[in-house]
Amino acid sequence: MEAHRTLLVRLPKDKCDVDYIKRLMALTNLAYRGFEVWVPDIPKTVQHQLYGFKNYMRSLVLGTVPKRWFVRAWIPSKILRVYQDGSRKGDKSAPVVLDLKNNVIKIRWVCKNEISIPMPDWVVNWIDERVREGGDVRFAMIGLKDNEPYLALTAEREVKPHVPSDYILVVDVNSWRYGISWGLIRNSEIVSHKQEGINLGKYYRLYDEVVRLEKKYGALKRLGLHKTVEGSRLWSEIKILRMRLYAITRDRAYFLASKLARKALRYRALLVIDDMIEESRRELLEEKLPPDVIKLLMSNLKRFVHQLETLAQWYGVPYKFKRLPSTVCPICGSELTQLPGRIMVCENCGFKAPRDKVPMYWAIKLTHFNIVNN
Ligand SMILES: [Zn+2]
């Protein structure tokens, strides 16, 4: 199986011709749909590259078929790699050159003029790590995100999932209010268990600050003063705080996905993921939280699941998505009653456990009947 991982690198806007990239993106969309349109004023080399991708474009991580006509698709490209020892790998006429000897990224044709940018350390480290893991950075994509040019590097690795040991790592995706809980199971026992979250107090305080500033901005707007120096300053402050708010859960999601994938790898465990995010949303609705706060508490959870899956594939961790209920008794199947402190009890058979541990008991039950492994 081929596994992929992707890294986004922002390109300097002043060195790229954004309109030209837009034209190439439109051409890419046509290529996805099986049309070959040869445009006279665009170099043949880059068009050959584009149409050369037709057969294996779908295998690229970002290469999902655009949903609508004329939507802009990112331009796929091969990569020529120049390694530290001077050896080269890849297509010589590739538009993207990763020069690891001089730590430079060169892009030809796609940004119109040839551009050459220094490769930041974090990019060098990322490439080194992927190569050390037995992968190679073979493909790239260039496109616009919020009208800013970006280069996406895609590493590819041939990997075979390991044969699971007797460990199972269960990951139950919950809202950030209760965090993501995981449990390591062996021989029908929970060996270790943890709820991983964010600093909720800090998160709420930052959100309150955003709400407060937005109210202030709203008041200015009603007076027609939002375009003043004060108004614009306030607006940019709101934007920065919103980004910071979003970054808290995004960074945590990436951190946890990496931690859990590596844990599964270390124990050679089977990874079982319950991604019933809707159930968590319902729980928050039942607690009568405002929609804005619910949205906040659900942010980046899908990203977490996607990243966990990507990493599981990359490291060859066998994984499964399994529905593991937290409100149904794993012993007798009765509906559980929730007590204060999120303790769940079964009035039928007496089962009792913290709500976040119930999915782990379900996983034990399912392995006992060998349902998880099948
Ligand atoms: Zn029961």
Side-chain angles (χ1 to χ4, degrees):
M1 195 186 85
E2 273 158 2
H4 296 100
R5 281 183 73 175
T6 303
L7 184 76
L8 268 188
V9 185
R10 197 161 160 175
L11 298 174
K13 205 175 180 176
D14 55 330
K15 286 192 180 174
C16 302
D17 185 337
V18 167
D19 289 328
Y20 187 75
I21 294 178
K22 276 183 192 162
R23 286 185 63 201
L24 282 174
M25 288 173 87
L27 265 188
T28 308
N29 188 313
L30 288 172
Y32 271 112
R33 288 165 202 287
F35 293 94
E36 274 193 32
V37 185
W38 293 88
V39 184
D41 64 329
I42 290 179
K44 279 271 187 305
T45 333
V46 69
Q47 299 191 62
H48 273 299
Q49 280 279 338
L50 196 60
Y51 298 122
F53 263 91
K54 264 200 319 204
N55 296 329
Y56 57 109
M57 235 170 341
R58 269 164 219 270
S59 71
L60 282 175
V61 175
L62 294 169
T64 44
V65 178
K67 285 188 186 67
R68 284 177 292 123
W69 272 95
F70 305 124
V71 93
R72 290 192 187 103
W74 285 41
I75 307 142
S77 160
K78 288 176 193 163
I79 296 180
L80 172 68
R81 284 90 69 196
V82 182
Y83 295 99
Q84 277 92 346
D85 62 359
S87 63
R88 287 156 183 262
K89 235 176 174 180
D91 189 340
K92 281 189 188 63
S93 59
V96 177
V97 181
L98 289 184
D99 184 345
L100 296 159
K101 200 175 164 190
N102 303 304
N103 286 350
V104 172
I105 303 173
K106 270 188 220 144
I107 301 171
R108 302 179 277 192
W109 308 302
V110 183
C111 301
K112 199 153 192 177
N113 298 316
E114 179 170 327
I115 66 167
S116 179
I117 53 167
M119 206 187 293
D121 283 347
W122 57 275
V123 178
V124 176
N125 293 342
W126 188 84
I127 296 171
D128 278 352
E129 255 177 73
R130 299 297 82 81
V131 172
R132 260 206 310 278
E133 288 163 347
D136 202 354
V137 187
R138 290 185 59 202
F139 303 109
M141 289 214 160
I142 292 156
L144 300 171
K145 200 178 138 203
D146 302 327
N147 223 29
E148 297 283 335
Y150 279 89
L151 168 73
L153 297 174
T154 300
E156 191 174 76
R157 182 189 177 205
E158 185 66 39
V159 59
K160 234 171 136 179
H162 62 241
V163 178
S165 62
D166 48 1
Y167 280 101
I168 296 172
L169 181 65
V170 179
V171 177
D172 184 38
V173 186
N174 221 312
S175 68
W176 293 110
R177 183 166 165 83
Y178 302 113
I180 289 163
S181 60
W182 58 263
L184 191 65
I185 295 169
R186 191 192 189 192
N187 298 334
S188 300
E189 252 178 76
I190 302 173
V191 182
S192 52
H193 167 262
K194 200 176 172 189
Q195 260 168 279
E196 308 263 12
I198 50 171
N199 183 335
L200 264 188
K202 203 174 139 198
Y203 195 51
Y204 281 146
R205 272 198 299 283
L206 194 57
Y207 173 70
D208 288 344
E209 181 64 6
V210 172
V211 173
R212 189 181 70 81
L213 294 180
E214 278 178 346
K215 273 196 188 130
K216 209 168 143 190
Y217 185 79
L220 283 182
K221 202 169 178 181
R222 279 191 295 281
L223 294 168
L225 294 172
H226 59 296
K227 294 263 196 266
T228 57
V229 176
E230 193 197 351
S232 326
R233 196 178 297 149
L234 196 58
W235 183 240
S236 47
E237 203 180 330
I238 291 169
K239 260 179 32 192
I240 290 168
L241 286 185
R242 278 218 165 268
M243 257 153 65
R244 201 179 296 165
L245 205 56
Y246 181 79
I248 291 177
T249 50
R250 184 200 56 206
D251 293 351
R252 195 71 186 147
Y254 278 126
F255 170 80
L256 289 176
S258 163
K259 173 180 167 169
L260 294 172
R262 283 163 203 268
K263 190 183 273 297
L265 184 65
R266 195 160 60 241
Y267 288 94
R268 301 192 77 76
L270 168 71
L271 178 63
V272 178
I273 309 162
D274 182 359
D275 68 337
M276 273 305 286
I277 294 171
E278 274 318 299
E279 192 186 285
S280 310
R281 193 190 302 275
R282 265 201 305 280
E283 193 184 355
L284 297 179
L285 277 170
E286 277 162 21
E287 289 176 27
K288 300 203 166 39
L289 291 172
D292 264 11
V293 175
I294 294 183
K295 206 173 145 197
L296 204 62
L297 290 168
M298 303 302 294
S299 68
N300 287 311
L301 288 172
K302 287 209 175 103
R303 192 184 283 264
F304 164 77
V305 175
H306 179 75
Q307 182 67 3
L308 184 59
E309 193 180 4
T310 303
L311 292 182
Q313 287 173 358
W314 180 264
Y315 291 116
V317 173
Y319 66 98
K320 277 204 163 103
F321 286 96
K322 221 35 194 216
R323 176 90 194 82
L324 303 167
S326 57
T327 56
V328 180
C329 177
I331 309 295
C332 71
S334 306
E335 197 69 27
L336 294 170
T337 312
Q338 184 162 333
L339 300 180
R342 298 182 90 231
I343 299 290
M344 306 303 279
V345 288
C346 176
E347 280 160 7
N348 184 40
C349 73
F351 170 85
K352 189 174 173 187
R355 183 165 174 148
D356 296 296
K357 261 190 171 176
V358 179
M360 317 297 152
Y361 288 107
W362 268 100
I364 290 173
K365 177 182 172 147
L366 296 177
T367 19
H368 196 69
F369 294 103
N370 224 355
I371 298 170
V372 171
N373 285 315
N374 294 331

